[in-house]
Amino acid sequence: MPDVLELVGALPTPQWGAWEPLALSLLTAGAAALILAAVAAWQGRAPARPFALAALAAGVSGQAALFVSLEQPLRAYEFFLHPSFTSWTAAGAYIVPAFLACALLLAWRTRAPGSAGRLPAVAALAAGIAVFVYAANEIMACLGRALWTGPLVPPIFLVAGLSGAVGLAACLAGSSRLTGALARTLAGYAALAVAGCTVLAAILPPPPGFAGAVSLWWRAPEALCLLAAVVALAGWRRPGLGIFAAGLAGLAGDFLLFWKLIQLGQAFPRAAATVADKAAFLDLFTFPSLLAVAGIGGLLLALAALLPRVLPQKPLSASQGLRYAAKEPS
Amino acid sequence: MNQSPKTQNDVAPDQGKRSLLKKGAAVAGLGLFAAASAGAVVKVANGLLRGTAGQALADPINKNSLEPEYRVDASGAVAAGKGQRVAFNQCWGCTTFCGVRLHIDEATDTVTRVAGNPYNPLAHERHFSMDTPVEEALRRLSADKDEGQPKRSTTCGRGAAMVEASDSPFRITRCLKRAGKRGEGKWKTISFEQLVAEVVDGGDLFGEGQVDGLRAIREAKGPANPAMPEFGPQANRLLLTYAVDDGRENFFFKRFGQQAFGTKNFGKHGSYCGLSFRIGSGLFIDDLKTNAHIKPDFENCEFAIFWGTAPSQAGNPFNRSGRMLAAGRADGKLRYAVVDPVLRLPASSAARDRCHWVPILPGMDSALAMGMMRWIFDNERYDKGFLSRPTLAAAQAAGEAGFCNATHLVQLSGPGAGKLLRASDMGLAAPAAAKDAAAKPGNAPAAEDAPMVMNLAGEAVPAGGCPEAALFYRGELALPDGRAVTVATALTLLREEAQGRSLEEYATLCGVPAAAVADLARELTAHGKRAAVDVHGGMMSTSGGNATFTVLTLNTLIGNINAKGGIATTAGSFHGAPAQKGPRYDLDSFPGMIEPKGFPAIRCRAPYQKSTEFKQKSASGQNPYPSELPWYPLTPPNMPGEHLLSHANASPFRYKCWINWTGNVIYGHGGLKRAVDKHLRDPKDLPLIVGIDTFHNETNAYADYLVPDPCMYEVWGGFSSAWAGVLTKMSTARWPAVAPRQEKSAAGEPVCMELFCIETAKRLGLPGFGDQAIPGADGTLYPLHTPQDYYLRLAANVAWFKGQVLPAPSERDVALSGIGRILPDIERVLPPQERGPVAAVYSRGGRFAPYGASYEGEAVKARWERPLQVYNEEAAQAINSQTGRRYGGTPCFKPPLLTDGRGLREVWSEGEYPLLMTSFKSSLINSYSVVSERLLAIKPVNMVMLHRDDAARLGLAHGDLARVVSPAGSAQARVVVGDVIMPGVVAVEHGFGHTALGAADVEIDGRLIRARRQAAAGFCLNDLTPPDPTRKGASTLLEHEYGSAARQGIPVRVEKV
């Protein structure tokens, strides 16, 4: 008996759009960054600042992508007008704003190194974890999408988020002359994380019954991830552009892993066996998708430029400078 | 951190540059984001201007979802939803006509949701008893006491979605008259009264010259064709065609067309749907009059072979079969095989190891069946106990539930060759007890004359006196006049036929490995009588009639007729023949009723040997064979495709008027449009065409006048039953649960087919319509001015069926079943004593015998009592008008043939057309459901399937654009590639490729209704059906012996585009 039974037919190329993968990649990156910022802030370590800024920038961008992807964006207010906790979507309506508030608080409190305070750190830690739980469950609740319910989904969210977080933090740290060594360290972690994204994308299996139906395009996201990992590994030790390249590679790994999960996950239809993996992958290079990526990239860039100005870092006192120098990774 | 101090001059330019860069980056980034998210801004603006969902929200949590049709409180009490009502009615999504439960919004008087009627066995495996109060039925369907899930009653996806068809812009709601050339799609509205007047009286209706109206056609003197008077009078030049037996057909063709107007010529869609299968069933079951057919007893069956049919994919009854198949494999012992060139839904992973698929070459089904028979005979796995009982009485005495004619002796020599040897042939009087048991009802000579059999002592005796007869015998018998006649038992002939080829030869012919053939035969014969072979419409090859007969004969060999877990026919209905006659009203006849005269124009069930052509050829010494056009001695005379071909060939004559009610033969019949298009476009060729329909379809696009017909649940209608597969009597009612949307006549009645017939008949002065039309049991003649005058009286007969009068419904029943809107009609038409029982019928959506009436011991209660035909004598006596040879009474292997008996492959070689095209039905889209945007959203285009080996050879990948080329034309499609189809076969899903039903512009009174591109998606394989090159004149590919449409096994090639 064949595994694949066609129900619908060879359909025209589907159009999915890039906003949902962008939203998930940035929200998870923000959540991971906030968790790392909270840990660092608890310990009074230097990475708290770039991670807090990364959390805020990624969170705002992710929320924006989520908002843009909605058919009726204004409907979001109804979650607050008529509170409901019956679905993960409803829960997300409260979790994401809480997460943004925590990120803002931590970014504010880390203007001066070492002064974040433990309560904001604990709140930020909880908010970051909540975003991970919400985002992963929002996807896993879609039982009709076989790829979204497997055991690899939670690790994918975690590794993708870490990759985006350290990548964005590396970029932010790299833009500051004061944190060159930290930036290099973050870039190194970004290289490791994007390598992790590559591995996860590669081992993510097609749903049962579709294994024989997928083409080489199923492997395209990990191929690009691998390329990003190579760039990151080549660049992380090099100051300036090298660090930026590694940081961007981390963000790319985050996004590409979600592209595989979300976009190629939809290539396995619920009522047919037409595996549109090629169309799903190549949707990345359509004008609307490229515009969405460019738009969110632009928003991230703007936030990276504006946030340090809106939330400027306070000058170090002599004692703080000594402590900070002692704890900074080499 | 050791940084060297910088001077102000060093730092300032760098910081300034960085600052500028950052500002620039921020502005550019925000600009990019603004450009990318502009669409969201538009959505937000729309939301602000039009509300967040485009309309005001009814409820903060449930938004604008439907108000429930009813609610059940904690005590189990049922209350109708606010502004909602429920009604039990008849589905319109396919020809199964399931029972449905409608959810109606009273404010808009529209049906908002459709589910199953739990009283109706077509929507429920164990349907609720009629005496269950409606309130209790609704409660059981709710979540109360968790009964809703196990007791749920469903309709299929198509039935649920088709409700939106009533709002289609391509619905006909006004009387229309052609405003341009035929087929241009330009119309103008006219009044119903004007339409009737013009159709009846004729005249220069279109400025194109005189057109004879119905009056002139009917009153014209002399034969329709003086050169062939056997084809009857001028009245036969009216052709009536319709779609299906939905409960209204008797009114249209029988009462109006035949009994009142008197035309012999009518057609229905069966001939381009499943007629080959139905005739094959008739051959198998000894019923070539109605061509009854069988279905498995799903509930108790242990092994079934679904052959050219696929329960849960298509077939009939679609909804019930799908449910019972799922239940049988999940909860029962049912295992099954699907024999089909294409793998479909019954073989999904949900079936696990309960199902296997046997791919087969199209049109080669009889080879597989004969191969299985060969194995069964070789291994003596047939049911000797069943086959050896020569009469029903003998079978019943032996504990069998039915019988067959396997032991009956067939004459093979002498003047009686081909006939059964009868007692009269031997000079014996048949024992009286045997006469009725062994004879064929309705066949006068046989009723007086029992067949002969060989008893176990080797003596030829009348069947009636023989409890058990020899299965195999071939030899000579002496007749009373001294002549010797060679005879053989029917089973001997079948065994010889089966053993004419080896198993391997059969396997090669059908493409099924010999081991698989043997396995299938072994499995079929391993379950006693709890096994079944089920066939349906997939037998549409050019030899499909014989293929069906042959395949179904496998049932005979295992003796499963009427057996629990075996096969059964329908249990019948409450509205069939007896209810047409009474007991309250006689709807079957009326004063002044006439009988149509002459042969049908399509030469069906008429002897060629009595035709002018035959006589003239014989008289002039010519060989009368072949006839100019084929005659179909065993086929019911209702094939609209052949009607139009005969018209195109002007043989025996051209019609003067064609009234087509809802049929779409031009779309549904392979190759017909190409063959008759120019004739239909020319008003001088066929002067008057009237379409009565709900939508603008491909066939009524040729019409001169269009009469609107109600849609879905707006219709007064009669009753429909199960085709087969339901073991209890049932009649599903059709009644207007919501108000019709089409225009009304001057008298205020909604225009519909019935009103057209009534007013046309009244204007013509035909009997059976008007003031004194319907004879009542009290001798009074009741009026027939509206559809309800007829159908409510039929409902009274149903409610009074065999004196078992239904009790009147309670007030709660009436309130909860939505019949309030027809109570005024019931009160107007019927006397007080009939109102309650008739209301009871509609309150349950029909009349249904209880589920418990299904079985009697190890047999079904409703039994088929005629002999299964191992040898069909009627077929064996029929002569093929093209070859002059007899049809043959024994099932046999027969490849797809053309009209003159040549094989398809002799005309279209494998070199030129290496593949065979076959069709399969969509589970959602049928021939008219493209009017549903909802269904097209799920299934926007048809599948064209190709095996991966063929695809690789052709350089095609899944989803590639390919061209399918047949001898008649070509079409392009994206191919679905996989190992889900027999190699060498292209399968095309039927129902797509429309040129009407929304796929073409329609202009009414100068207002253009633009076509919807989606409705034209895909292609229709009928467009690729070639003409039959062995037949004279206009032609298309047909079943070569029975004339029904052929859609399977058409030679094609596929090219990469």
Side-chain angles (χ1 to χ4, degrees):
Chain A
M1 187 80 69
D3 288 333
V4 177
L5 180 64
E6 189 61 80
L7 298 184
V8 173
L11 301 178
T13 306
Q15 300 288 337
W16 290 283
W19 289 106
E20 285 84 359
L22 282 168
L24 287 169
S25 60
L26 288 168
L27 284 175
T28 52
L34 193 58
I35 291 168
L36 293 170
V39 172
W42 180 280
Q43 297 174 343
R45 288 178 175 267
R49 170 73 178 169
F51 277 132
L53 288 176
L56 190 55
V60 169
S61 303
Q63 176 66 79
L66 197 60
F67 191 71
V68 171
S69 73
L70 297 176
E71 183 60 32
Q72 281 294 335
L74 275 192
R75 267 203 163 186
Y77 82 88
E78 290 190 30
F79 285 115
F80 306 100
L81 208 61
H82 310 289
S84 165
F85 298 92
T86 53
S87 73
W88 284 106
T89 304
Y94 313 113
I95 290 172
V96 174
F99 152 75
L100 289 175
C102 289
L104 179 62
L105 178 64
L106 209 59
W108 178 262
R109 297 296 297 261
T110 55
R111 286 176 304 141
S115 62
R118 296 207 161 181
L119 192 59
V122 170
L125 184 68
I129 292 170
V131 167
F132 267 119
V133 172
Y134 147 67
N137 279 291
E138 176 86 334
I139 292 304
M140 295 179 77
C142 301
L143 299 179
R145 296 289 182 198
L147 204 66
W148 297 359
T149 56
L152 280 179
V153 173
I156 283 174
F157 272 71
L158 191 62
V159 172
L162 283 171
S163 182
V166 291
L168 185 56
C171 290
L172 290 170
S175 66
S176 167
R177 289 183 175 184
L178 301 177
T179 53
L182 173 62
R184 200 162 51 247
T185 304
L186 291 172
Y189 282 125
L192 281 178
V194 74
C197 289
T198 308
V199 171
L200 273 175
I203 64 172
L204 180 64
F210 288 96
V214 296
S215 69
L216 276 177
W217 292 99
W218 169 250
R219 297 288 173 204
E222 53 260 38
L224 286 190
C225 263
L226 184 62
L227 186 64
V230 170
V231 168
L233 287 168
W236 74 276
R237 283 180 177 278
R238 300 179 187 175
L241 280 178
I243 287 175
F244 276 114
L248 288 174
L251 280 167
D254 176 11
F255 175 64
L256 286 166
L257 190 49
F258 274 112
W259 192 265
K260 177 146 192 176
L261 181 70
I262 302 301
Q263 299 300 84
L264 273 76
Q266 292 174 82
F268 304 103
R270 281 167 288 193
T274 308
V275 182
D277 48 2
K278 177 183 176 183
F281 176 74
L282 291 180
D283 187 49
L284 177 57
F285 301 104
T286 59
F287 179 72
S289 293
L290 291 173
L291 186 62
V293 172
I296 285 297
L299 183 59
L300 265 180
L301 185 64
L303 290 169
L306 292 174
L307 287 177
R309 283 183 165 255
V310 177
L311 305 165
Q313 194 161 15
K314 289 179 180 175
L316 298 177
S317 65
S319 60
Q320 283 173 324
L322 287 172
R323 186 155 59 90
Y324 184 42
K327 290 187 177 179
E328 186 181 349
S330 54
Chain B
M1 305 292 288
N2 188 15
Q3 294 179 358
S4 59
K6 289 181 170 38
T7 64
Q8 195 173 6
N9 286 343
D10 292 334
V11 174
D14 189 34
Q15 280 184 339
K17 195 171 153 188
R18 286 169 67 90
S19 174
L20 189 65
L21 275 173
K22 283 185 178 178
K23 284 176 185 168
V27 170
L30 289 173
L32 265 175
F33 179 69
S37 58
V41 175
V42 173
K43 289 178 191 172
V44 168
N46 280 337
L48 287 170
L49 294 172
R50 299 168 51 216
T52 55
Q55 54 182 296
L57 295 178
D59 183 276
I61 301 298
N62 298 313
K63 312 300 183 203
N64 293 332
S65 61
L66 294 175
E67 171 75 16
E69 59 262 53
Y70 65 90
R71 294 174 190 275
V72 180
D73 67 19
S75 69
V78 175
K82 187 181 171 188
Q84 314 294 313
R85 68 174 185 266
V86 170
F88 300 111
N89 214 298
Q90 181 196 54
C91 186
W92 198 76
C94 76
T95 56
T96 303
F97 302 119
C98 294
V100 288
R101 182 174 86 251
L102 306 179
H103 174 179
I104 299 167
D105 179 68
E106 297 199 312
T108 56
D109 197 30
T110 52
V111 178
T112 53
R113 196 174 78 91
V114 179
N117 174 3
Y119 293 107
N120 192 314
L122 290 175
H124 204 291
E125 303 98 300
R126 298 190 175 201
H127 54 284
F128 297 177
S129 167
M130 286 280 284
D131 57 17
T132 307
V134 176
E135 180 166 18
E136 172 62 12
L138 295 179
R139 191 197 63 72
R140 287 188 202 171
L141 296 173
S142 75
D144 187 51
K145 298 185 177 65
D146 285 334
E147 288 186 292
Q149 177 69 3
K151 290 200 164 62
R152 70 192 182 279
S153 177
T154 59
T155 183
C156 71
R158 181 170 48 224
M162 282 297 281
V163 63
E164 69 174 343
S166 63
D167 295 327
S168 168
F170 293 91
R171 186 173 161 186
I172 301 165
T173 56
R174 303 287 306 276
C175 291
L176 301 176
K177 180 177 181 179
R178 174 164 63 87
K181 293 180 180 172
R182 282 243 180 105
E184 271 192 342
K186 292 182 179 174
W187 307 90
K188 61 182 177 186
T189 53
I190 58 172
S191 70
F192 174 63
E193 288 69 28
Q194 182 188 342
L195 187 150
V196 170
E198 292 186 7
V199 168
V200 170
D201 299 328
D204 186 4
L205 303 173
F206 302 94
E208 298 165 345
Q210 172 68 24
V211 177
D212 281 353
L214 292 179
R215 190 189 308 282
I217 295 169
R218 185 167 187 267
E219 293 178 357
K221 304 297 180 195
N225 181 352
M228 301 182 193
E230 66 271 22
F231 288 97
Q234 289 282 346
N236 283 353
R237 297 180 78 177
L238 168 65
L239 169 63
L240 299 178
T241 56
Y242 69 98
V244 292
D245 299 347
D246 68 344
R248 303 166 69 200
E249 73 287 350
N250 266 346
F251 190 99
F252 175 69
F253 86 86
K254 191 174 176 188
R255 190 176 190 92
F256 172 77
Q258 296 190 317
Q259 296 172 325
F261 190 94
T263 182
K264 188 84 175 181
N265 293 310
F266 71 93
K268 60 179 181 176
H269 99 295
S271 66
Y272 51 97
C273 184
L275 185 60
S276 302
F277 142 69
R278 291 297 295 269
I279 290 179
S281 294
L283 291 166
F284 155 71
I285 210 164
D286 188 23
D287 180 21
L288 284 168
K289 186 178 179 189
T290 67
N291 291 318
H293 68 285
I294 55 88
K295 286 287 165 193
D297 171 20
F298 284 94
E299 199 166 352
N300 298 289
C301 190
E302 294 177 3
F303 180 70
I305 301 178
F306 298 111
W307 203 312
T309 185
S312 73
Q313 169 75 28
N316 200 319
F318 175 47
N319 185 38
R320 178 180 167 88
S321 299
R323 287 178 63 128
M324 298 203 74
L325 186 82
R329 72 188 176 210
D331 307 326
K333 293 180 176 177
L334 181 62
R335 310 177 77 87
Y336 57 93
V338 179
V339 178
D340 200 302
V342 195
L343 174 64
R344 303 308 313 140
L345 294 181
S348 69
S349 56
R352 308 179 308 281
D353 61 340
R354 292 294 186 103
C355 166
H356 70 280
W357 171 47
V358 182
I360 185 170
L361 286 169
M364 288 298 185
D365 307 280
S366 59
L368 175 57
M370 293 308 291
M372 289 172 67
M373 285 188 203
R374 162 102 210 202
W375 187 92
I376 291 169
F377 281 119
D378 288 352
N379 293 278
E380 297 190 19
R381 294 277 286 236
Y382 43 83
D383 185 343
K384 298 184 185 71
F386 172 82
L387 293 167
S388 61
R389 312 297 165 184
T391 63
L392 183 61
Q396 287 172 338
E400 297 289 344
F403 81 116
C404 70
N405 69 1
T407 56
H408 296 186
L409 292 171
V410 180
Q411 301 182 58
L412 303 176
S413 63
K419 293 181 180 175
L420 295 181
L421 183 72
R422 297 185 183 278
S424 59
D425 296 317
M426 301 299 285
L428 301 170
K435 284 180 181 174
D436 291 334
K440 295 178 181 181
N443 187 328
E448 298 162 4
D449 208 356
M452 297 294 291
V453 297
M454 298 298 292
N455 67 16
L456 298 183
E459 300 159 337
V461 296
C466 181
E468 184 176 4
L471 293 178
F472 301 104
Y473 175 80
R474 176 184 270 272
E476 284 195 348
L477 292 177
L479 297 176
D481 61 6
R483 288 183 294 117
V485 60
T486 305
V487 297
T489 65
L491 197 65
T492 300
L493 296 179
L494 181 63
R495 185 173 67 175
E496 290 171 359
E497 194 67 51
Q499 292 178 338
R501 288 181 174 83
S502 69
L503 192 60
E504 289 68 25
E505 284 177 289
Y506 286 124
T508 304
L509 286 166
C510 65
V512 180
V517 179
D519 286 346
L520 213 49
R522 186 181 297 108
E523 182 76 17
L524 180 69
T525 54
H527 298 269
K529 296 180 188 299
R530 295 200 174 219
V533 180
D534 181 25
V535 179
H536 211 90
M539 295 298 188
M540 295 178 72
S541 73
T542 62
S543 296
N546 171 72
T548 305
F549 182 25
T550 307
V551 169
L552 287 176
T553 298
L554 289 163
N555 288 303
T556 311
L557 295 183
I558 59 172
N560 62 358
I561 184 75
N562 302 329
K564 206 171 187 176
I567 57 172
T569 56
T570 175
S573 72
F574 295 94
H575 67 274
Q580 292 288 321
K581 293 294 288 182
R584 307 297 296 175
Y585 302 94
D586 183 358
L587 296 162
D588 198 42
S589 57
F590 47 83
M593 182 183 87
I594 61 173
E595 183 77 20
K597 293 183 173 63
F599 289 175
I602 54 176
R603 309 166 304 281
C604 291
R605 287 185 183 162
Y608 168 57
Q609 295 72 20
K610 291 186 178 176
S611 69
T612 304
E613 180 191 346
F614 184 91
K615 291 172 186 168
Q616 287 176 343
K617 282 182 175 175
S618 300
S620 64
Q622 291 181 62
N623 182 351
Y625 301 102
S627 58
E628 286 296 304
L629 291 174
W631 291 60
Y632 301 109
L634 302 174
T635 305
N638 55 20
M639 301 194 291
E642 187 60 46
H643 278 113
L644 295 181
L645 290 173
S646 296
H647 173 86
N649 291 316
S651 177
F653 48 73
R654 292 196 197 277
Y655 303 106
K656 284 191 160 184
C657 178
W658 174 24
I659 302 176
N660 175 51
W661 166 51
T662 66
N664 195 2
V665 65
I666 294 297
Y667 173 80
H669 196 301
L672 191 66
K673 183 174 183 178
R674 187 201 58 257
V676 303
D677 177 71
K678 68 177 181 185
H679 299 278
L680 298 182
R681 282 187 186 277
D682 182 2
K684 290 188 171 48
D685 196 298
L686 204 172
L688 184 58
I689 304 177
V690 180
I692 308 170
D693 217 325
T694 311
F695 303 104
H696 291 271
N697 70 20
E698 283 84 352
T699 300
N700 63 38
Y702 293 101
D704 299 309
Y705 294 93
L706 286 178
V707 180
D709 206 36
C711 183
M712 306 289 287
Y713 313 111
E714 307 167 5
V715 193
W716 270 113
F719 296 84
S720 59
S721 183
W723 291 23
V726 175
L727 300 177
T728 51
K729 269 191 202 309
M730 60 161 291
S731 290
T732 307
R734 175 173 280 197
W735 56 281
V738 292
R741 303 287 198 269
Q742 75 276 26
E743 73 170 289
K744 292 181 177 171
S745 69
E749 283 297 323
V751 177
C752 57
M753 175 273 288
E754 290 86 351
L755 200 68
F756 171 80
C757 292
I758 291 167
E759 295 303 326
T760 299
K762 282 157 71 174
R763 193 174 180 94
L764 282 165
L766 300 182
F769 295 86
D771 286 330
Q772 297 188 327
I774 300 175
D778 57 1
T780 306
L781 285 173
Y782 291 92
L784 174 48
H785 293 292
T786 65
Q788 49 271 45
D789 287 341
Y790 179 90
Y791 292 123
L792 285 174
R793 292 190 170 94
L794 175 58
N797 286 351
V798 168
W800 253 260
F801 186 79
K802 293 192 175 173
Q804 297 161 351
V805 186
L806 291 175
S810 68
E811 283 186 19
R812 288 290 286 161
D813 286 338
V814 172
L816 291 172
S817 63
I819 60 171
R821 76 174 304 278
I822 59 168
L823 289 182
D825 279 317
I826 292 176
E827 287 168 11
R828 180 181 67 76
V829 173
L830 300 176
Q833 69 273 20
E834 291 176 357
R835 293 172 190 166
V838 167
V841 171
Y842 291 108
S843 73
R844 267 63 169 179
R847 184 165 186 178
F848 314 99
Y851 166 77
S854 303
Y855 302 102
E856 203 169 54
E858 282 304 296
V860 300
K861 215 167 188 175
R863 299 184 192 181
W864 186 257
E865 296 194 334
R866 298 186 195 189
L868 298 185
Q869 301 285 283
V870 176
Y871 181 82
N872 191 299
E873 186 181 24
E874 198 174 349
Q877 295 302 299
I879 296 175
N880 185 316
S881 68
Q882 298 298 290
T883 62
R885 291 193 292 270
R886 294 190 186 279
Y887 272 54
T890 302
C892 62
F893 164 67
K894 201 176 280 186
L897 302 175
L898 294 164
T899 298
D900 75 346
R902 270 187 283 170
L904 263 69
R905 282 304 188 191
E906 293 178 55
V907 176
W908 297 300
S909 70
E910 288 188 47
E912 195 175 2
Y913 300 103
L915 302 171
L916 293 172
M917 182 168 65
T918 190
S919 75
F920 64 95
K921 280 192 175 176
S922 165
S923 51
L924 286 180
I925 302 291
N926 64 12
S927 58
Y928 55 89
S929 58
V930 292
V931 293
S932 166
E933 292 183 34
R934 203 180 297 185
L935 289 175
L936 281 180
I938 301 169
K939 192 172 238 316
V941 67
N942 56 339
M943 289 195 283
V944 177
M945 302 175 78
L946 200 59
H947 191 270
R948 70 175 72 246
D949 293 346
D950 294 319
R953 186 171 45 77
L954 294 162
L956 286 165
H958 182 85
D960 280 355
L961 198 60
R963 184 183 298 110
V964 183
V965 183
S966 81
S970 67
Q972 289 190 4
R974 295 198 179 277
V975 290
V976 172
V977 174
D979 48 2
V980 289
I981 182 169
M982 180 80 180
V985 179
V986 181
V988 180
E989 189 175 29
H990 188 48
F992 293 82
H994 279 277
T995 56
L997 284 168
D1001 292 346
V1002 173
E1003 188 181 304
I1004 299 173
D1005 293 337
R1007 188 176 65 87
L1008 186 66
I1009 305 169
R1010 288 220 176 272
R1012 290 168 49 238
R1013 187 174 51 85
Q1014 304 95 307
F1019 83 91
C1020 177
L1021 86 164
N1022 287 336
D1023 294 338
L1024 300 190
T1025 306
D1028 183 341
T1030 72
R1031 179 177 157 160
K1032 291 179 181 173
S1035 73
T1036 186
L1037 211 56
L1038 300 172
E1039 212 288 353
H1040 80 287
E1041 289 178 314
Y1042 303 106
S1044 44
R1047 195 175 289 150
Q1048 326 289 27
I1050 297 169
V1052 295
R1053 64 174 178 271
V1054 173
E1055 300 166 349
K1056 188 171 184 175
V1057 174

